[in-house]
Amino acid sequence: EVQVVESGGGLVQPGGSLRLSCIASGFTFVDRHMDWVRQAPGKGLEWVGRINNKGQGYTTEYAASVKGRFTASRDDSKSSVYLQMNSLKTEDTALYFCTSDSGYWSLDYWGQGTLVTVSS
Amino acid sequence: IELTQSPGTLSLSPGERATLSCRASQSVSSNYLAWYQQKPGQAPRLLIYGASSRATGIPDRFSGSGSGTDFTLTISRLEPEDSAVYYCQQFGDSPRFTFGPGTKVDIK
């Protein structure tokens, strides 16, 4: 059974930092590029960033809205990915989903999300 | 590339056919077009990838079609559990994934 579980969300003041974690099981994690997608309250889906697999050199990619502030990383030995979020803004408030690239230019396995609230 | 979806909301009865549209601002490879279903309080669920291939476990009443800039998700016989928001998505160079604004399907 596939499981993707995010953690680490919470309330943080503007300018603060937060580190999200995601642990996956039930699929070959090491082969997958892993992505973060967020959803602001009552809004649609926004891709945040990704960390590619070892074959792609663990390279990272980000949306323009978070580039320079967010950093994705992974630990294949723990089947885990992380999202370090710095210089948080109120507009970063959202439910953050961890998800995997299916290999067919789509996202197949999703966690239930972890809520990040940026507010003073 | 920007994606627009129409209609914004679709209100239909069980057993009816739903036709959801996704239009891209530039031509998109069919390989790079996917559809998701999201129910309240749940994560998105991959329905269709490659414009027309059903993901694992997706019922055959869901089908995708289209090419170029115009893509369609069809739900042939609506069931009450199909009430959800449906998003189209395209894969690109930067950003990697772009989502449409969604179509809400209400089952009366």
Side-chain angles (χ1 to χ4, degrees):
Chain A
E1 180 194 4
V2 170
Q3 285 197 316
V4 179
V5 180
E6 305 93 337
S7 61
L11 175 63
V12 61
Q13 292 189 338
S17 298
L18 214 52
R19 188 193 193 214
L20 306 184
S21 299
C22 167
I23 185 165
S25 61
F27 60 94
T28 310
F29 179 85
V30 297
D31 290 343
R32 298 291 190 112
H33 308 316
M34 296 297 294
D35 294 80
W36 290 92
V37 173
R38 68 184 180 185
Q39 186 169 37
K43 302 298 183 181
L45 302 170
E46 179 189 15
W47 177 78
V48 173
R50 80 171 357 184
I51 181 159
N52 290 308
N53 62 16
K54 183 178 180 180
Q56 294 295 317
Y58 297 128
T59 51
T60 54
E61 304 170 43
Y62 302 98
S65 58
V66 307
K67 195 170 186 178
R69 300 188 298 123
F70 289 13
T71 303
S73 60
R74 65 191 290 163
D75 184 339
D76 287 349
S77 69
K78 297 180 180 178
S79 297
S80 294
V81 293
Y82 309 96
L83 187 66
Q84 178 67 42
M85 303 186 297
N86 298 330
S87 303
L88 283 160
K89 305 175 181 180
T90 55
E91 53 263 40
D92 295 320
T93 293
L95 187 62
Y96 284 73
F97 295 102
C98 173
T99 178
S100 72
D101 187 322
S102 69
Y104 293 95
W105 308 285
S106 56
L107 302 166
D108 55 356
Y109 301 135
W110 295 69
Q112 287 303 303
T114 186
L115 182 62
V116 172
T117 302
V118 184
S119 175
S120 55
Chain B
I1 296 179
E2 293 186 3
L3 301 176
T4 56
Q5 292 186 242
S6 61
T9 302
L10 202 51
S11 186
L12 295 167
S13 299
E16 289 192 304
R17 180 187 194 93
T19 303
L20 286 65
S21 173
C22 176
R23 180 161 289 177
S25 58
Q26 301 175 42
S27 184
V28 174
S29 167
S30 294
N31 289 332
Y32 296 168
L33 198 288
W35 290 91
Y36 300 82
Q37 176 194 66
Q38 187 180 31
K39 298 180 180 180
Q42 295 187 17
R45 175 193 183 195
L46 177 65
L47 296 176
I48 301 287
Y49 63 92
S52 61
S53 297
R54 271 186 300 276
T56 303
I58 301 303
D60 60 7
R61 66 178 184 276
F62 291 92
S63 63
S65 63
S67 64
T69 59
D70 291 299
F71 298 88
T72 300
L73 174 70
T74 301
I75 312 172
S76 60
R77 299 170 305 279
L78 281 165
E79 298 193 3
E81 61 263 31
D82 297 334
S83 285
V85 178
Y86 293 83
Y87 295 95
C88 59
Q89 165 250 298
Q90 73 96 21
F91 177 88
D93 288 332
S94 182
R96 277 301 185 187
F97 294 96
T98 304
F99 295 91
T103 290
K104 184 177 181 182
V105 175
D106 283 330
I107 312 297
K108 291 182 286 191

